[in-house]
């Protein structure tokens, strides 16, 4: 879990987060809960990448001087450590049998160079380095929790480690001896929140977040890391900068922000929306009953269709701005201009009475 007061470093966080007017960020060295379910993340074991770091790379030498967060040199992610005095708290190796001709691999992981080893929330997967007949890497063994111990036949393997959505893959060569490895994840987390720009309350049940990488593929699209995150959720990620998209409702209330994750830290990101919940009604007179079987179109100030619906009480969350409502009923079309102000949820009535329509036209012409 994230340690309070730990000294962070960021090998991957080479870009400072760009503050935008729609998001506020606060970084606190507080603990991330490890009780969240990981079933959605573990439904299908991910394929490890082709890049294989050198398992024999020496650990970086320690230093007592104060080093700038972005200038500090990273230590190797996968390094040898002395065998602990006590055996692992549990051995969760699956599908393997003990044998005198096998080697032992003991694995531990921590968030940063200076933090303590994690005791929960880790998922270890051991893959064969060679592909099978289907061209895929074979999953040899798995373990969940904190530290892990595996008994493996001599050979080369790929070790995939996941802590939430923070992941790392490393290569290890096993003989008939005992090896102990420490993985430094360089990971942190984001806690998501949402609020209205003017301070009014927001219906958090209609707010979701999606997290994307910063780079684009050949089609000009970002890689989606995780989606449909609800306010208050904590997502563990590798230390880096991420593009976060927050949606309020299902129409056009969308806010984007670039947010930086620091190793060993929890970033609290509150996305500020400027929108309101609007209910449309077609009535014969002001305050009258809504007319059923009405078809609706909401147009932007530029005349583009924003959303369409059918019913007596269509309800939308719309971004701040000016709109025109078109109501069609019994072969007739009725128009009404309205404005959306942040946080001001309300009903918008479209009146069929001729006197009301003439009043609207006179008001619009002035």
């Amino acid at each position: 879990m994230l340690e309070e007061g730990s000294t962070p470093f960021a090998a991957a966080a080479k870009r400072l987060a760009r503050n935008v007017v729609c998001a506020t960020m606060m970084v606190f060295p507080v603990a991330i809960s490890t009780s969240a379910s990981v079933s959605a993340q573990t439904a299908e074991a991910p394929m490890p990448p082709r890049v294989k770091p050198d398992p024999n790379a020496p650990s970086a030498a320690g230093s007592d001087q104060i080093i700038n967060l972005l200038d500090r040199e990273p230590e190797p992610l996968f390094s040898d450590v002395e065998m602990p005095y006590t055996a692992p708290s549990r051995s969760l190796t699956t599908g393997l049998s003990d044998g005198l001709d096998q080697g032992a691999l003991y694995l531990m992981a921590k968030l940063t160079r200076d933090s303590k080893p994690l005791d929960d929330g880790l998922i270890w997967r051991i893959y064969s380095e060679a592909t099978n007949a289907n061209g895929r890497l074979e999953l040899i063994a798995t373990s969940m929790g904190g530290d892990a111990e595996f008994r493996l036949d001599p050979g080369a393997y790929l070790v995939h480690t996941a802590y939430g959505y923070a992941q790392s893959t490393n290569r290890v060569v096993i003989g008939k001896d005992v090896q102990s490895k420490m993985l430094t994840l360089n990971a942190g987390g984001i806690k998501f929140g949402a609020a209205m720009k003017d301070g009014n309350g927001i219906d958090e049940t209609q707010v979701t977040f999606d997290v994307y990488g910063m780079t684009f593929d050949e089609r000009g699209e970002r890689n989606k890391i995780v989606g449909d995150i609800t306010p208050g959720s904590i997502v563990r990620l590798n230390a880096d900068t991420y593009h976060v998209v927050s949606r309020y409702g299902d129409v056009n209330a969308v806010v984007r922000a670039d947010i930086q994750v620091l190793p060993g830290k929890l970033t609290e990101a509150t996305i500020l929306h400027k929108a309101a919940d609007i209910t449309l009604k077609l009535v014969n007179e002001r305050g009258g009953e809504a007319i059923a079987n009405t078809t609706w179109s909401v147009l932007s100030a530029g005349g583009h269709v924003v959303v369409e619906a059918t019913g007596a009480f269509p309800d939308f969350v719309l971004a701040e701005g000016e709109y025109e409502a078109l109501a069609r009923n019994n072969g007739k079309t009725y128009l009404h201009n309205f404005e959306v102000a942040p946080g001001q949820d309300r009903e918008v009535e479209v009146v069929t009475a001729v006197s009301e329509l003439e009043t609207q036209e006179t008001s619009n012409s002035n």
Side-chain angles (χ1 to χ4, degrees):
M1 59 182 62
L2 298 184
E3 291 219 332
E4 185 170 359
S6 61
T7 304
F9 69 94
K14 294 182 180 178
R15 299 185 298 273
L16 291 176
R18 300 190 294 275
N19 291 330
V20 295
V21 297
C22 57
T24 61
M25 296 171 52
M26 300 168 285
V27 179
F28 297 96
V30 298
I32 282 183
S33 171
T34 59
S35 61
S37 170
V38 297
S39 59
Q41 303 168 22
T42 61
E44 181 179 352
M47 294 298 296
R50 294 179 179 273
V51 179
K52 305 165 186 175
D54 183 2
N56 299 317
S59 299
S63 175
D64 295 330
Q65 69 183 42
I66 299 176
I67 304 176
N68 183 281
L69 177 65
L70 298 180
D71 295 338
R72 183 176 181 177
E73 291 294 329
E75 78 172 56
L77 294 180
F78 203 58
S79 56
D80 294 323
V81 294
E82 293 183 3
M83 192 67 183
Y85 293 106
T86 59
S89 58
R90 55 196 171 278
S91 180
L92 300 177
T93 305
T94 61
L96 295 176
S97 59
D98 293 334
L100 297 177
D101 294 331
Q102 292 182 317
L105 177 63
Y106 178 61
L107 299 171
M108 297 177 290
K110 54 185 179 179
L111 291 176
T112 68
R113 175 190 305 178
D114 307 305
S115 63
K116 296 180 180 179
L118 296 164
D119 57 10
D120 198 8
L122 290 166
I123 303 174
W124 301 93
R125 297 182 178 95
I126 307 295
Y127 292 89
S128 62
E129 186 178 44
T131 57
N132 57 22
N134 297 324
R136 297 177 63 87
L137 297 176
E138 181 180 359
L139 180 61
I140 303 299
T142 62
S143 176
M144 299 178 63
D147 50 16
E149 183 183 18
F150 298 94
R151 301 285 179 174
L152 301 168
D153 294 329
Y157 297 89
L158 298 178
V159 178
H160 181 272
T161 313
Y163 184 62
Y165 290 91
Q167 302 183 48
S168 178
T169 301
N170 298 275
R171 181 177 183 270
V172 62
V173 177
I174 299 296
K176 295 182 181 180
D177 56 349
V178 177
Q179 295 188 44
S180 184
K181 298 284 187 179
M182 175 66 75
L183 171 65
T184 303
L185 282 167
N186 279 335
I190 302 178
K191 183 176 182 180
F192 293 91
M196 294 303 300
K197 180 71 173 180
D198 58 1
N200 288 334
I202 190 170
D203 183 2
E204 292 189 343
T205 63
Q206 297 195 66
V207 179
T208 59
F209 303 88
D210 297 331
V211 178
Y212 296 84
M214 295 298 293
T215 59
F216 297 90
D217 58 21
E218 62 277 4
R219 295 179 298 179
E221 299 178 353
R222 298 178 187 267
N223 175 43
K224 188 175 184 178
I225 298 172
V226 55
D228 294 328
I229 305 166
T230 56
S233 299
I234 294 174
V235 177
R236 304 179 182 112
L237 296 161
N238 292 106
D240 206 342
T241 301
Y242 297 90
H243 186 72
V244 174
V245 179
S246 178
R247 303 181 187 278
Y248 181 26
D250 300 321
V251 185
N252 64 343
V254 179
V255 177
R256 300 172 181 270
D258 293 340
I259 298 176
Q260 187 182 45
V261 174
L262 299 177
K265 299 293 183 181
L266 178 65
T267 300
E268 294 197 2
T270 299
I271 303 297
L272 302 180
H273 282 273
K274 295 188 292 183
D277 193 304
I278 302 297
T279 301
L280 300 178
K281 294 172 58 179
L282 179 65
V283 295
N284 290 321
E285 59 183 2
R286 294 290 175 183
E289 293 186 2
I291 301 174
N293 301 320
T294 302
T295 301
W296 297 89
S297 295
V298 177
L299 307 182
S300 66
H304 301 289
V305 176
V306 177
V307 64
E308 295 180 317
T310 301
F313 300 96
D315 181 86
F316 317 104
V317 174
L318 297 175
E320 177 186 30
E322 297 180 351
Y323 298 89
E324 184 176 40
L326 279 72
R328 301 178 181 87
N329 186 275
N330 199 23
K332 296 182 179 180
T333 301
Y334 307 92
L335 307 178
H336 179 69
N337 295 324
F338 67 97
E339 185 176 350
V340 175
Q344 297 183 16
D345 302 342
R346 64 189 181 97
E347 289 186 346
V348 173
E349 293 183 333
V350 180
V351 183
T352 63
V354 175
S355 58
E356 289 281 357
L357 295 177
E358 291 175 348
T359 302
Q360 292 179 26
E361 292 176 355
T362 302
S363 176
N364 293 337
S365 63
N366 292 335

